[in-house]
Amino acid sequence: MDTALQERLHLALTAQRRAFDAERMPSYEVRRDRLERLLAMTRQHGEALAAAMAQDFGHRARQESLLADIFTVEAGARHALKHLRAWMKPRRVATPLHFLPGRNVLMRQPLGVVGVVAPWNYPYYLAMEPAVAALAAGNRVLIKPSELTPATSELMARLVAEHFKPEEMLVITGDAEVGKAFTQLPFDHLFFTGSTAVGRHVAQAAAKNLTPVTLELGGKSPAIVDRSADLALTASRLAFGKLFNAGQTCVAPDYLLVPRELIEPLSQQILAEMRRMYPRIAGNADYTSIATPRHHARLQGLIADAAQRGARVLRTHDEQPDDRRLVPALLLDVPADATVMQEEIFGPLLPIVGYDKVDNALAHVNAGDRPLALYWFGQDGAARDHVMAQTHAGGVTVNDCLWHLGQEDQPFGGVGASGMGSYHGEWGFRTFSKEKPLFIQSRFAGTRLFQPPYGPTFERLLGLLKKIV
C-alpha cells in the first residue's frame, strides 16, 4: 500500500478521533447545528449537484437527481431534526420485581468515528443519508465517494469542506486503491453501500479491526404479479420503477414473476407505459444514461447472451442512440442459465418469468439469495399475506416499486446476501449509537442477603426468587 496514502488516511482518522475524545457526548445544540448545516448545504447546492451528476453519467435526468439525491437527503435531515431530542433522551426500561427498588435506564451514546463508503448510482444520497444518521447520533464522519462519479465526488468534497470542519465531517476522494485502504481503517463503525461481491471484501477488511459494519448490498429483487392485479396500474408502476435512473437502482425490480396467461397482455402494457413515459430514447432529457462505457457494454452483453440462448427481446423503441442511453427491453422465455438471470441487472432490462401456481413463484424466489427488495401486485389480501409470510426480503412495497426506500419511520436494510444492518430515521440513529444499559441500584436493595457466608437464608431467598420470576 502507498505509504503516503496510508498516512493521509490515518491522519484524517486520528484528527476526528481526537476531536471526538474531546467531546464524547455532543449536546443537542451541537448536533442540531451540524444537521442544519448539512440541510442548508443540500438546499443551496442541489442544482449544482444535479449538474455534476449529469456530467458524471453522460446524462442524468435533472428531475431524478433532485428527487432521489437531493430531496431524500433534505427529508432525512428534516426528520432527524424533528425527532433528535426524543432520540437522545435516555429511556426508562422495565425493571423486574425482584430487582426493585433499583431501576433500568437505556442510554444512547455516539460510537466515535464513522466511515461511509458510497457508490456511484445515487452518489449524494448514499453518502449523505448515512451521514445524517451518524451526525444525529453525535459521531464524526469520514466519507469515501465513488471514483466513477468524479465531478460529484469533487464537488461534494468542496461543499463539505465549506460547511464543516475536517474533524466533524470530511470527504476523501480517490480511486479504488483509496477505497480499499479506507475500509481497512479502524473505524468505530463502517457503513458500505455497493455490490454483494465488494461487500464481502469490505466485511473481511473490517473484521481485522473488529469494526462493526452495516452493509447495504443488492441482489435480484423480484416483482410478483398476482392474478388479482390491476394490469394497467401494475404496468405503469413497474415501468416507472424499472426505468427510474435507467434501472441503476439497488431496489429496482430485477425480474417479474407473472401467471403464464398474463405474460403477453402485461408485457404489451408495460411496453406501452414505457413508451408513454419516454416517447423517444435518443436525446430525451428525461431518460438517464448508463453511467460508464463498461456498464453499458455489460448490459448489451446481457441482451446478446439471452437472445443467443433463445430469449425473445422486446425493445420499447427502434432506435440506436449514439450515446450511453440504452433502449429498454423486456426479455421473455429466458432460460434459467442465462447470465441476466444469474446476475443483478442494474439497467433497463426486465426479464419476465411465467408461473402456474404462486407457490412455484415463491420456490423460485426462495431458491436464490434473499433480495434487498420484493414487490407484490394484486388486490387479494390473503394471497398477499401468503407471499409475505413465505419469503424474505430487505423491504417490500405492495402495488408499487421503490417507495419503501423513502420511509423514514421504517428501517431500510438487506437480509442475507443483500446486506446486514439498517438505517433511516431512528433506525439510523440507533445503528450509529451504543445503546448502553444502566442498572441503578437503590441504597435500600437487599442484595446483602445474597452475600457469603452462604447458608439457609440464601437457600430460602433463592427458592422465593424462583417462585416470583
Side-chain angles (χ1 to χ4, degrees), residues 1-10 13 115 117 142 144 147 172-187 190 201-202 205-206 209 211:
M1 184 187 300
D2 186 334
T3 304
L5 166 61
Q6 194 173 23
E7 183 177 356
R8 178 164 68 96
L9 293 174
H10 276 280
L13 177 65
V117 180
L142 285 176
K144 169 59 179 75
E147 65 276 9
I172 297 176
T173 59
D175 59 14
E177 190 65 26
V178 176
K180 181 179 179 182
F182 187 91
T183 63
Q184 295 172 356
L185 293 172
F187 290 108
L190 181 59
H201 293 292
V202 171
N209 297 311
T211 297

PDB file of all heavy atoms in Angstrom, residues 1-10 13 115 117 142 144 147 172-187 190 201-202 205-206 209 211:
ATOM      1  N   MET A   1       0.842  -1.196   0.000  1.00  0.00           N
ATOM      2  CA  MET A   1       0.000   0.000   0.000  1.00  0.00           C
ATOM      3  C   MET A   1       0.881   1.252   0.000  1.00  0.00           C
ATOM      4  O   MET A   1       1.928   1.279   0.637  1.00  0.00           O
ATOM      5  CB  MET A   1      -0.924   0.005   1.228  1.00  0.00           C
ATOM      6  CG  MET A   1      -1.909   1.167   1.256  1.00  0.00           C
ATOM      7  SD  MET A   1      -2.849   1.253   2.802  1.00  0.00           S
ATOM      8  CE  MET A   1      -3.672  -0.325   2.767  1.00  0.00           C
ATOM      9  N   ASP A   2       0.450   2.271  -0.724  1.00  0.00           N
ATOM     10  CA  ASP A   2       1.158   3.544  -0.774  1.00  0.00           C
ATOM     11  C   ASP A   2       1.277   4.123   0.635  1.00  0.00           C
ATOM     12  O   ASP A   2       0.274   4.381   1.306  1.00  0.00           O
ATOM     13  CB  ASP A   2       0.369   4.496  -1.672  1.00  0.00           C
ATOM     14  CG  ASP A   2       1.092   5.807  -1.903  1.00  0.00           C
ATOM     15  OD1 ASP A   2       1.909   6.202  -1.059  1.00  0.00           O
ATOM     16  OD2 ASP A   2       0.814   6.444  -2.923  1.00  0.00           O
ATOM     17  N   THR A   3       2.516   4.358   1.073  1.00  0.00           N
ATOM     18  CA  THR A   3       2.752   4.854   2.436  1.00  0.00           C
ATOM     19  C   THR A   3       2.136   6.233   2.634  1.00  0.00           C
ATOM     20  O   THR A   3       1.552   6.528   3.685  1.00  0.00           O
ATOM     21  CB  THR A   3       4.258   4.901   2.734  1.00  0.00           C
ATOM     22  OG1 THR A   3       4.808   3.603   2.529  1.00  0.00           O
ATOM     23  CG2 THR A   3       4.505   5.333   4.168  1.00  0.00           C
ATOM     24  N   ALA A   4       2.264   7.091   1.622  1.00  0.00           N
ATOM     25  CA  ALA A   4       1.707   8.443   1.730  1.00  0.00           C
ATOM     26  C   ALA A   4       0.188   8.400   1.857  1.00  0.00           C
ATOM     27  O   ALA A   4      -0.409   9.144   2.645  1.00  0.00           O
ATOM     28  CB  ALA A   4       2.115   9.270   0.520  1.00  0.00           C
ATOM     29  N   LEU A   5      -0.454   7.511   1.089  1.00  0.00           N
ATOM     30  CA  LEU A   5      -1.909   7.358   1.174  1.00  0.00           C
ATOM     31  C   LEU A   5      -2.314   6.866   2.553  1.00  0.00           C
ATOM     32  O   LEU A   5      -3.243   7.399   3.177  1.00  0.00           O
ATOM     33  CB  LEU A   5      -2.383   6.377   0.106  1.00  0.00           C
ATOM     34  CG  LEU A   5      -3.818   5.842   0.241  1.00  0.00           C
ATOM     35  CD1 LEU A   5      -4.822   6.972   0.170  1.00  0.00           C
ATOM     36  CD2 LEU A   5      -4.099   4.789  -0.834  1.00  0.00           C
ATOM     37  N   GLN A   6      -1.623   5.862   3.042  1.00  0.00           N
ATOM     38  CA  GLN A   6      -1.924   5.312   4.354  1.00  0.00           C
ATOM     39  C   GLN A   6      -1.788   6.373   5.440  1.00  0.00           C
ATOM     40  O   GLN A   6      -2.634   6.487   6.341  1.00  0.00           O
ATOM     41  CB  GLN A   6      -0.988   4.137   4.636  1.00  0.00           C
ATOM     42  CG  GLN A   6      -1.399   3.275   5.813  1.00  0.00           C
ATOM     43  CD  GLN A   6      -0.538   2.036   5.925  1.00  0.00           C
ATOM     44  OE1 GLN A   6       0.589   2.006   5.430  1.00  0.00           O
ATOM     45  NE2 GLN A   6      -1.059   1.005   6.571  1.00  0.00           N
ATOM     46  N   GLU A   7      -0.743   7.191   5.332  1.00  0.00           N
ATOM     47  CA  GLU A   7      -0.527   8.241   6.332  1.00  0.00           C
ATOM     48  C   GLU A   7      -1.624   9.292   6.262  1.00  0.00           C
ATOM     49  O   GLU A   7      -2.116   9.757   7.299  1.00  0.00           O
ATOM     50  CB  GLU A   7       0.840   8.884   6.102  1.00  0.00           C
ATOM     51  CG  GLU A   7       1.188   9.946   7.142  1.00  0.00           C
ATOM     52  CD  GLU A   7       2.577  10.526   6.937  1.00  0.00           C
ATOM     53  OE1 GLU A   7       3.300  10.050   6.036  1.00  0.00           O
ATOM     54  OE2 GLU A   7       2.924  11.460   7.675  1.00  0.00           O
ATOM     55  N   ARG A   8      -2.029   9.655   5.022  1.00  0.00           N
ATOM     56  CA  ARG A   8      -3.086  10.667   4.866  1.00  0.00           C
ATOM     57  C   ARG A   8      -4.391  10.194   5.502  1.00  0.00           C
ATOM     58  O   ARG A   8      -5.087  10.955   6.194  1.00  0.00           O
ATOM     59  CB  ARG A   8      -3.288  10.959   3.380  1.00  0.00           C
ATOM     60  CG  ARG A   8      -4.398  11.966   3.073  1.00  0.00           C
ATOM     61  CD  ARG A   8      -4.276  12.488   1.656  1.00  0.00           C
ATOM     62  NE  ARG A   8      -4.557  11.474   0.666  1.00  0.00           N
ATOM     63  CZ  ARG A   8      -5.753  11.308   0.082  1.00  0.00           C
ATOM     64  NH1 ARG A   8      -6.769  12.105   0.417  1.00  0.00           N
ATOM     65  NH2 ARG A   8      -5.938  10.383  -0.831  1.00  0.00           N
ATOM     66  N   LEU A   9      -4.740   8.938   5.269  1.00  0.00           N
ATOM     67  CA  LEU A   9      -5.981   8.409   5.826  1.00  0.00           C
ATOM     68  C   LEU A   9      -5.926   8.322   7.344  1.00  0.00           C
ATOM     69  O   LEU A   9      -6.888   8.677   8.039  1.00  0.00           O
ATOM     70  CB  LEU A   9      -6.273   7.025   5.228  1.00  0.00           C
ATOM     71  CG  LEU A   9      -6.615   7.001   3.737  1.00  0.00           C
ATOM     72  CD1 LEU A   9      -6.733   5.570   3.245  1.00  0.00           C
ATOM     73  CD2 LEU A   9      -7.899   7.764   3.464  1.00  0.00           C
ATOM     74  N   HIS A  10      -4.791   7.868   7.870  1.00  0.00           N
ATOM     75  CA  HIS A  10      -4.665   7.742   9.321  1.00  0.00           C
ATOM     76  C   HIS A  10      -4.656   9.116   9.999  1.00  0.00           C
ATOM     77  O   HIS A  10      -5.183   9.268  11.109  1.00  0.00           O
ATOM     78  CB  HIS A  10      -3.418   6.940   9.684  1.00  0.00           C
ATOM     79  CG  HIS A  10      -3.637   5.461   9.652  1.00  0.00           C
ATOM     80  ND1 HIS A  10      -4.244   4.783  10.683  1.00  0.00           N
ATOM     81  CD2 HIS A  10      -3.364   4.536   8.698  1.00  0.00           C
ATOM     82  CE1 HIS A  10      -4.329   3.495  10.381  1.00  0.00           C
ATOM     83  NE2 HIS A  10      -3.795   3.314   9.177  1.00  0.00           N
ATOM     84  N   LEU A  13      -8.309  10.167  10.188  1.00  0.00           N
ATOM     85  CA  LEU A  13      -8.993   9.417  11.236  1.00  0.00           C
ATOM     86  C   LEU A  13      -8.550   9.872  12.616  1.00  0.00           C
ATOM     87  O   LEU A  13      -9.384  10.071  13.520  1.00  0.00           O
ATOM     88  CB  LEU A  13      -8.717   7.926  11.064  1.00  0.00           C
ATOM     89  CG  LEU A  13      -9.302   6.995  12.129  1.00  0.00           C
ATOM     90  CD1 LEU A  13     -10.819   7.019  12.093  1.00  0.00           C
ATOM     91  CD2 LEU A  13      -8.789   5.565  11.942  1.00  0.00           C
ATOM     92  N   GLY A 115     -17.088   5.577   9.268  1.00  0.00           N
ATOM     93  CA  GLY A 115     -16.677   5.609   7.875  1.00  0.00           C
ATOM     94  C   GLY A 115     -17.842   5.264   6.975  1.00  0.00           C
ATOM     95  O   GLY A 115     -18.598   4.328   7.259  1.00  0.00           O
ATOM     96  N   VAL A 117     -18.737   4.470   2.920  1.00  0.00           N
ATOM     97  CA  VAL A 117     -18.298   4.212   1.545  1.00  0.00           C
ATOM     98  C   VAL A 117     -19.542   4.256   0.664  1.00  0.00           C
ATOM     99  O   VAL A 117     -20.458   3.442   0.825  1.00  0.00           O
ATOM    100  CB  VAL A 117     -17.599   2.848   1.413  1.00  0.00           C
ATOM    101  CG1 VAL A 117     -17.149   2.622  -0.027  1.00  0.00           C
ATOM    102  CG2 VAL A 117     -16.408   2.762   2.360  1.00  0.00           C
ATOM    103  N   LEU A 142     -16.194  10.265   8.200  1.00  0.00           N
ATOM    104  CA  LEU A 142     -15.317  10.264   7.029  1.00  0.00           C
ATOM    105  C   LEU A 142     -16.048   9.575   5.887  1.00  0.00           C
ATOM    106  O   LEU A 142     -16.625   8.495   6.076  1.00  0.00           O
ATOM    107  CB  LEU A 142     -14.017   9.516   7.313  1.00  0.00           C
ATOM    108  CG  LEU A 142     -12.957  10.196   8.188  1.00  0.00           C
ATOM    109  CD1 LEU A 142     -11.784   9.249   8.421  1.00  0.00           C
ATOM    110  CD2 LEU A 142     -12.462  11.482   7.534  1.00  0.00           C
ATOM    111  N   LYS A 144     -15.947   8.194   1.831  1.00  0.00           N
ATOM    112  CA  LYS A 144     -15.234   7.858   0.591  1.00  0.00           C
ATOM    113  C   LYS A 144     -16.275   7.669  -0.514  1.00  0.00           C
ATOM    114  O   LYS A 144     -16.948   6.646  -0.584  1.00  0.00           O
ATOM    115  CB  LYS A 144     -14.409   6.571   0.768  1.00  0.00           C
ATOM    116  CG  LYS A 144     -13.847   5.987  -0.542  1.00  0.00           C
ATOM    117  CD  LYS A 144     -12.940   6.953  -1.268  1.00  0.00           C
ATOM    118  CE  LYS A 144     -12.386   6.326  -2.564  1.00  0.00           C
ATOM    119  NZ  LYS A 144     -13.393   6.266  -3.648  1.00  0.00           N
ATOM    120  N   GLU A 147     -15.200   6.612  -7.187  1.00  0.00           N
ATOM    121  CA  GLU A 147     -14.309   7.175  -8.197  1.00  0.00           C
ATOM    122  C   GLU A 147     -14.984   7.229  -9.568  1.00  0.00           C
ATOM    123  O   GLU A 147     -14.479   7.891 -10.495  1.00  0.00           O
ATOM    124  CB  GLU A 147     -13.020   6.352  -8.289  1.00  0.00           C
ATOM    125  CG  GLU A 147     -13.178   4.935  -8.777  1.00  0.00           C
ATOM    126  CD  GLU A 147     -13.566   3.959  -7.672  1.00  0.00           C
ATOM    127  OE1 GLU A 147     -13.887   4.418  -6.541  1.00  0.00           O
ATOM    128  OE2 GLU A 147     -13.549   2.735  -7.938  1.00  0.00           O
ATOM    129  N   ILE A 172     -13.098  12.137   1.434  1.00  0.00           N
ATOM    130  CA  ILE A 172     -11.794  11.752   0.911  1.00  0.00           C
ATOM    131  C   ILE A 172     -12.002  11.115  -0.454  1.00  0.00           C
ATOM    132  O   ILE A 172     -12.597  10.039  -0.568  1.00  0.00           O
ATOM    133  CB  ILE A 172     -11.082  10.768   1.861  1.00  0.00           C
ATOM    134  CG1 ILE A 172     -10.811  11.449   3.200  1.00  0.00           C
ATOM    135  CG2 ILE A 172      -9.794  10.242   1.234  1.00  0.00           C
ATOM    136  CD1 ILE A 172     -10.195  10.539   4.244  1.00  0.00           C
ATOM    137  N   THR A 173     -11.539  11.792  -1.515  1.00  0.00           N
ATOM    138  CA  THR A 173     -11.713  11.288  -2.872  1.00  0.00           C
ATOM    139  C   THR A 173     -10.512  10.430  -3.269  1.00  0.00           C
ATOM    140  O   THR A 173      -9.457  10.475  -2.639  1.00  0.00           O
ATOM    141  CB  THR A 173     -11.880  12.445  -3.865  1.00  0.00           C
ATOM    142  OG1 THR A 173     -10.715  13.278  -3.810  1.00  0.00           O
ATOM    143  CG2 THR A 173     -13.110  13.276  -3.526  1.00  0.00           C
ATOM    144  N   GLY A 174     -10.685   9.670  -4.331  1.00  0.00           N
ATOM    145  CA  GLY A 174      -9.594   8.842  -4.816  1.00  0.00           C
ATOM    146  C   GLY A 174     -10.109   7.606  -5.517  1.00  0.00           C
ATOM    147  O   GLY A 174     -11.322   7.361  -5.592  1.00  0.00           O
ATOM    148  N   ASP A 175      -9.179   6.812  -6.027  1.00  0.00           N
ATOM    149  CA  ASP A 175      -9.536   5.643  -6.823  1.00  0.00           C
ATOM    150  C   ASP A 175      -9.856   4.444  -5.938  1.00  0.00           C
ATOM    151  O   ASP A 175      -9.998   4.553  -4.714  1.00  0.00           O
ATOM    152  CB  ASP A 175      -8.416   5.322  -7.805  1.00  0.00           C
ATOM    153  CG  ASP A 175      -7.082   5.042  -7.106  1.00  0.00           C
ATOM    154  OD1 ASP A 175      -7.075   4.829  -5.874  1.00  0.00           O
ATOM    155  OD2 ASP A 175      -6.044   5.039  -7.797  1.00  0.00           O
ATOM    156  N   ALA A 176      -9.953   3.280  -6.598  1.00  0.00           N
ATOM    157  CA  ALA A 176     -10.309   2.063  -5.868  1.00  0.00           C
ATOM    158  C   ALA A 176      -9.271   1.699  -4.816  1.00  0.00           C
ATOM    159  O   ALA A 176      -9.602   1.109  -3.781  1.00  0.00           O
ATOM    160  CB  ALA A 176     -10.486   0.915  -6.856  1.00  0.00           C
ATOM    161  N   GLU A 177      -8.010   2.053  -5.052  1.00  0.00           N
ATOM    162  CA  GLU A 177      -6.967   1.771  -4.074  1.00  0.00           C
ATOM    163  C   GLU A 177      -7.198   2.569  -2.792  1.00  0.00           C
ATOM    164  O   GLU A 177      -6.988   2.076  -1.686  1.00  0.00           O
ATOM    165  CB  GLU A 177      -5.590   2.101  -4.666  1.00  0.00           C
ATOM    166  CG  GLU A 177      -4.416   1.632  -3.823  1.00  0.00           C
ATOM    167  CD  GLU A 177      -4.321   0.122  -3.692  1.00  0.00           C
ATOM    168  OE1 GLU A 177      -4.806  -0.588  -4.593  1.00  0.00           O
ATOM    169  OE2 GLU A 177      -3.751  -0.344  -2.683  1.00  0.00           O
ATOM    170  N   VAL A 178      -7.654   3.814  -2.954  1.00  0.00           N
ATOM    171  CA  VAL A 178      -8.007   4.629  -1.789  1.00  0.00           C
ATOM    172  C   VAL A 178      -9.186   3.996  -1.051  1.00  0.00           C
ATOM    173  O   VAL A 178      -9.204   3.920   0.180  1.00  0.00           O
ATOM    174  CB  VAL A 178      -8.346   6.077  -2.210  1.00  0.00           C
ATOM    175  CG1 VAL A 178      -8.809   6.906  -1.008  1.00  0.00           C
ATOM    176  CG2 VAL A 178      -7.149   6.737  -2.876  1.00  0.00           C
ATOM    177  N   GLY A 179     -10.158   3.527  -1.811  1.00  0.00           N
ATOM    178  CA  GLY A 179     -11.312   2.879  -1.194  1.00  0.00           C
ATOM    179  C   GLY A 179     -10.928   1.644  -0.413  1.00  0.00           C
ATOM    180  O   GLY A 179     -11.427   1.406   0.693  1.00  0.00           O
ATOM    181  N   LYS A 180     -10.039   0.849  -0.971  1.00  0.00           N
ATOM    182  CA  LYS A 180      -9.582  -0.358  -0.287  1.00  0.00           C
ATOM    183  C   LYS A 180      -8.879   0.000   1.017  1.00  0.00           C
ATOM    184  O   LYS A 180      -9.139  -0.614   2.072  1.00  0.00           O
ATOM    185  CB  LYS A 180      -8.649  -1.145  -1.200  1.00  0.00           C
ATOM    186  CG  LYS A 180      -8.136  -2.437  -0.600  1.00  0.00           C
ATOM    187  CD  LYS A 180      -7.237  -3.177  -1.582  1.00  0.00           C
ATOM    188  CE  LYS A 180      -6.693  -4.461  -0.982  1.00  0.00           C
ATOM    189  NZ  LYS A 180      -5.783  -5.170  -1.922  1.00  0.00           N
ATOM    190  N   ALA A 181      -7.989   0.994   0.969  1.00  0.00           N
ATOM    191  CA  ALA A 181      -7.280   1.418   2.181  1.00  0.00           C
ATOM    192  C   ALA A 181      -8.244   2.015   3.201  1.00  0.00           C
ATOM    193  O   ALA A 181      -8.078   1.819   4.412  1.00  0.00           O
ATOM    194  CB  ALA A 181      -6.198   2.433   1.814  1.00  0.00           C
ATOM    195  N   PHE A 182      -9.254   2.716   2.709  1.00  0.00           N
ATOM    196  CA  PHE A 182     -10.259   3.341   3.576  1.00  0.00           C
ATOM    197  C   PHE A 182     -10.973   2.290   4.417  1.00  0.00           C
ATOM    198  O   PHE A 182     -11.173   2.459   5.628  1.00  0.00           O
ATOM    199  CB  PHE A 182     -11.246   4.108   2.710  1.00  0.00           C
ATOM    200  CG  PHE A 182     -12.243   4.950   3.457  1.00  0.00           C
ATOM    201  CD1 PHE A 182     -11.976   6.278   3.766  1.00  0.00           C
ATOM    202  CD2 PHE A 182     -13.476   4.430   3.836  1.00  0.00           C
ATOM    203  CE1 PHE A 182     -12.905   7.065   4.430  1.00  0.00           C
ATOM    204  CE2 PHE A 182     -14.404   5.194   4.499  1.00  0.00           C
ATOM    205  CZ  PHE A 182     -14.118   6.523   4.808  1.00  0.00           C
ATOM    206  N   THR A 183     -11.353   1.177   3.804  1.00  0.00           N
ATOM    207  CA  THR A 183     -12.098   0.148   4.528  1.00  0.00           C
ATOM    208  C   THR A 183     -11.242  -0.588   5.552  1.00  0.00           C
ATOM    209  O   THR A 183     -11.777  -1.289   6.414  1.00  0.00           O
ATOM    210  CB  THR A 183     -12.708  -0.882   3.560  1.00  0.00           C
ATOM    211  OG1 THR A 183     -11.658  -1.570   2.859  1.00  0.00           O
ATOM    212  CG2 THR A 183     -13.635  -0.206   2.567  1.00  0.00           C
ATOM    213  N   GLN A 184      -9.936  -0.428   5.466  1.00  0.00           N
ATOM    214  CA  GLN A 184      -9.040  -1.092   6.404  1.00  0.00           C
ATOM    215  C   GLN A 184      -8.744  -0.250   7.642  1.00  0.00           C
ATOM    216  O   GLN A 184      -8.060  -0.715   8.552  1.00  0.00           O
ATOM    217  CB  GLN A 184      -7.724  -1.450   5.692  1.00  0.00           C
ATOM    218  CG  GLN A 184      -7.911  -2.479   4.585  1.00  0.00           C
ATOM    219  CD  GLN A 184      -6.664  -2.689   3.750  1.00  0.00           C
ATOM    220  OE1 GLN A 184      -5.654  -2.006   3.937  1.00  0.00           O
ATOM    221  NE2 GLN A 184      -6.713  -3.628   2.816  1.00  0.00           N
ATOM    222  N   LEU A 185      -9.281   0.967   7.684  1.00  0.00           N
ATOM    223  CA  LEU A 185      -9.069   1.833   8.843  1.00  0.00           C
ATOM    224  C   LEU A 185      -9.879   1.321  10.040  1.00  0.00           C
ATOM    225  O   LEU A 185     -10.977   0.784   9.865  1.00  0.00           O
ATOM    226  CB  LEU A 185      -9.483   3.269   8.523  1.00  0.00           C
ATOM    227  CG  LEU A 185      -8.643   4.014   7.482  1.00  0.00           C
ATOM    228  CD1 LEU A 185      -9.290   5.354   7.142  1.00  0.00           C
ATOM    229  CD2 LEU A 185      -7.221   4.233   7.988  1.00  0.00           C
ATOM    230  N   PRO A 186      -9.366   1.524  11.256  1.00  0.00           N
ATOM    231  CA  PRO A 186     -10.072   1.047  12.457  1.00  0.00           C
ATOM    232  C   PRO A 186     -11.193   1.991  12.900  1.00  0.00           C
ATOM    233  O   PRO A 186     -11.126   2.627  13.960  1.00  0.00           O
ATOM    234  CB  PRO A 186      -8.958   0.957  13.495  1.00  0.00           C
ATOM    235  CG  PRO A 186      -7.985   2.010  13.085  1.00  0.00           C
ATOM    236  CD  PRO A 186      -8.012   2.041  11.586  1.00  0.00           C
ATOM    237  N   PHE A 187     -12.226   2.101  12.073  1.00  0.00           N
ATOM    238  CA  PHE A 187     -13.370   2.934  12.420  1.00  0.00           C
ATOM    239  C   PHE A 187     -14.118   2.339  13.614  1.00  0.00           C
ATOM    240  O   PHE A 187     -13.965   1.170  13.961  1.00  0.00           O
ATOM    241  CB  PHE A 187     -14.341   3.027  11.233  1.00  0.00           C
ATOM    242  CG  PHE A 187     -13.838   3.813  10.061  1.00  0.00           C
ATOM    243  CD1 PHE A 187     -13.476   3.181   8.885  1.00  0.00           C
ATOM    244  CD2 PHE A 187     -13.728   5.189  10.135  1.00  0.00           C
ATOM    245  CE1 PHE A 187     -13.024   3.901   7.792  1.00  0.00           C
ATOM    246  CE2 PHE A 187     -13.277   5.922   9.055  1.00  0.00           C
ATOM    247  CZ  PHE A 187     -12.920   5.279   7.879  1.00  0.00           C
ATOM    248  N   LEU A 190     -18.376   1.051  10.239  1.00  0.00           N
ATOM    249  CA  LEU A 190     -18.159   1.226   8.799  1.00  0.00           C
ATOM    250  C   LEU A 190     -19.467   0.932   8.076  1.00  0.00           C
ATOM    251  O   LEU A 190     -20.068  -0.129   8.260  1.00  0.00           O
ATOM    252  CB  LEU A 190     -17.054   0.293   8.306  1.00  0.00           C
ATOM    253  CG  LEU A 190     -16.690   0.375   6.816  1.00  0.00           C
ATOM    254  CD1 LEU A 190     -16.222   1.775   6.441  1.00  0.00           C
ATOM    255  CD2 LEU A 190     -15.626  -0.661   6.465  1.00  0.00           C
ATOM    256  N   HIS A 201     -15.635  -8.324   0.626  1.00  0.00           N
ATOM    257  CA  HIS A 201     -14.268  -7.858   0.891  1.00  0.00           C
ATOM    258  C   HIS A 201     -14.252  -6.789   1.985  1.00  0.00           C
ATOM    259  O   HIS A 201     -13.354  -6.757   2.827  1.00  0.00           O
ATOM    260  CB  HIS A 201     -13.652  -7.311  -0.391  1.00  0.00           C
ATOM    261  CG  HIS A 201     -13.418  -8.351  -1.451  1.00  0.00           C
ATOM    262  ND1 HIS A 201     -12.482  -9.357  -1.315  1.00  0.00           N
ATOM    263  CD2 HIS A 201     -14.012  -8.545  -2.662  1.00  0.00           C
ATOM    264  CE1 HIS A 201     -12.501 -10.126  -2.395  1.00  0.00           C
ATOM    265  NE2 HIS A 201     -13.429  -9.656  -3.217  1.00  0.00           N
ATOM    266  N   VAL A 202     -15.246  -5.903   1.965  1.00  0.00           N
ATOM    267  CA  VAL A 202     -15.339  -4.859   2.989  1.00  0.00           C
ATOM    268  C   VAL A 202     -15.527  -5.496   4.367  1.00  0.00           C
ATOM    269  O   VAL A 202     -14.876  -5.085   5.343  1.00  0.00           O
ATOM    270  CB  VAL A 202     -16.503  -3.898   2.669  1.00  0.00           C
ATOM    271  CG1 VAL A 202     -16.760  -2.945   3.830  1.00  0.00           C
ATOM    272  CG2 VAL A 202     -16.202  -3.104   1.398  1.00  0.00           C
ATOM    273  N   ALA A 205     -12.239  -6.903   5.535  1.00  0.00           N
ATOM    274  CA  ALA A 205     -11.294  -5.861   5.952  1.00  0.00           C
ATOM    275  C   ALA A 205     -11.672  -5.309   7.319  1.00  0.00           C
ATOM    276  O   ALA A 205     -10.810  -5.098   8.184  1.00  0.00           O
ATOM    277  CB  ALA A 205     -11.269  -4.739   4.914  1.00  0.00           C
ATOM    278  N   ALA A 206     -12.969  -5.077   7.538  1.00  0.00           N
ATOM    279  CA  ALA A 206     -13.429  -4.538   8.816  1.00  0.00           C
ATOM    280  C   ALA A 206     -13.224  -5.536   9.940  1.00  0.00           C
ATOM    281  O   ALA A 206     -12.926  -5.154  11.083  1.00  0.00           O
ATOM    282  CB  ALA A 206     -14.899  -4.144   8.720  1.00  0.00           C
ATOM    283  N   ASN A 209     -10.177  -5.424  12.218  1.00  0.00           N
ATOM    284  CA  ASN A 209     -10.182  -4.424  13.287  1.00  0.00           C
ATOM    285  C   ASN A 209     -11.351  -4.603  14.251  1.00  0.00           C
ATOM    286  O   ASN A 209     -11.560  -3.772  15.136  1.00  0.00           O
ATOM    287  CB  ASN A 209     -10.258  -3.014  12.684  1.00  0.00           C
ATOM    288  CG  ASN A 209      -9.061  -2.672  11.830  1.00  0.00           C
ATOM    289  OD1 ASN A 209      -7.925  -2.863  12.253  1.00  0.00           O
ATOM    290  ND2 ASN A 209      -9.306  -2.187  10.616  1.00  0.00           N
ATOM    291  N   THR A 211     -14.258  -4.038  13.510  1.00  0.00           N
ATOM    292  CA  THR A 211     -15.121  -2.887  13.244  1.00  0.00           C
ATOM    293  C   THR A 211     -16.512  -3.383  12.859  1.00  0.00           C
ATOM    294  O   THR A 211     -16.651  -4.150  11.898  1.00  0.00           O
ATOM    295  CB  THR A 211     -14.549  -2.038  12.096  1.00  0.00           C
ATOM    296  OG1 THR A 211     -13.287  -1.513  12.491  1.00  0.00           O
ATOM    297  CG2 THR A 211     -15.477  -0.891  11.748  1.00  0.00           C
TER     298      THR A 211
END
